[in-house]
Amino acid sequence: MIAKEQGITGIQQRIGYQFANPDLLEKALTHSSAVSPGRRTERSYQRLEFLGDRVLGLVVADLLHRRLPKANEGELSRTLNTLVRKETCADVARTLNLGPALRLGESEARTGGAEKEAILADVCEAVIGAVYCDGGFDCAFELVERLFGGMIGAANAKRADAKTALQEWAQGRGLEPPDYTEVERSGPDHAPVFTIAVKVQGFAAENASGPSKKIAEHKSAEQFLIRENVWKPTS
């Protein structure tokens, strides 16, 4: 019980929200495999994940509408999809170290469920749903803005596709695929900053930083393409 309570307390500290009803957070961390079939709807994160997915989409859409006043509908949609996709949510769950706190059935735990991208993404959304249920929309908005807001500047359509563009550019010249290496991690656990270096055979490496490894990789790829005059800088 002590370890469980410490885990719940640690997660609340990392997400920056104190639950009035900690049972909601416990439910958000419970996979259906850990619950008897007759109680899965009631005691697993499935319903909270459904709710959190919608809250996340609404809050991110609101943030994009306010922060990107010159973006058209297509640009807003592409950026929204980048921010709410499974990979981004799973990255946030890893940043919050939610995996070790998950309640999993024996089989799911044995097959690495705590590290599976789909489960981590679902749990991230379930935690958002739990905060919404516990504290209302304002608290959920603050949580989403805290966890996802720092990614908005890098999550435009061009940056989201920079790695693909760089790989195609390298292959078109008969070069090996770009190599991405983490060179530094800084900042607190709840708001880390990753620095990634991208290397292409015969060219100097290019470094860039971001709130997740994927964002930093895309930014380093974009900066490489700009440096080599493949892409023009954004205005």
Side-chain angles (χ1 to χ4, degrees), residues 14-158:
R14 291 195 292 278
I15 68 175
Y17 179 79
Q18 188 75 28
F19 278 82
N21 179 11
D23 183 63
L24 283 167
L25 179 55
E26 181 182 345
K27 187 185 297 186
L29 298 169
T30 301
H31 188 262
S32 60
S33 64
V35 185
S36 59
R39 302 190 68 196
R40 285 177 179 172
T41 298
E42 174 189 357
R43 293 304 309 166
S44 77
Y45 64 61
Q46 292 175 337
R47 285 169 55 84
L48 289 174
E49 181 268 328
F50 168 84
L51 179 61
D53 175 58
R54 275 69 184 174
V55 174
L56 174 62
L58 175 59
V59 174
V60 171
D62 182 273
L63 291 172
L64 295 179
H65 183 265
R66 290 189 288 111
R67 293 193 187 183
L68 303 177
K70 296 183 179 180
N72 61 36
E73 181 183 2
E75 292 167 336
L76 291 171
S77 295
R78 287 191 291 272
T79 306
L80 173 70
N81 291 336
T82 297
L83 288 170
V84 303
R85 65 183 179 176
K86 175 179 68 178
E87 293 83 359
T88 304
C89 290
D91 275 346
V92 170
R94 294 187 187 99
T95 297
L96 297 172
N97 200 28
L98 298 182
L102 290 177
R103 289 186 59 208
L104 301 166
E106 182 179 347
S107 176
E108 192 64 62
R110 190 168 54 247
T111 57
E115 299 174 358
K116 290 180 180 178
E117 195 143 88
I119 291 178
L120 289 173
D122 286 348
V123 169
C124 174
E125 293 174 340
V127 168
I128 293 169
V131 170
Y132 175 82
C133 288
D134 190 75
F137 182 75
D138 287 346
C139 291
F141 188 101
E142 291 174 3
L143 175 66
V144 173
E145 185 171 28
R146 192 158 55 245
L147 297 178
F148 291 81
M151 304 179 192
I152 289 176
N156 58 55
K158 189 167 88 169

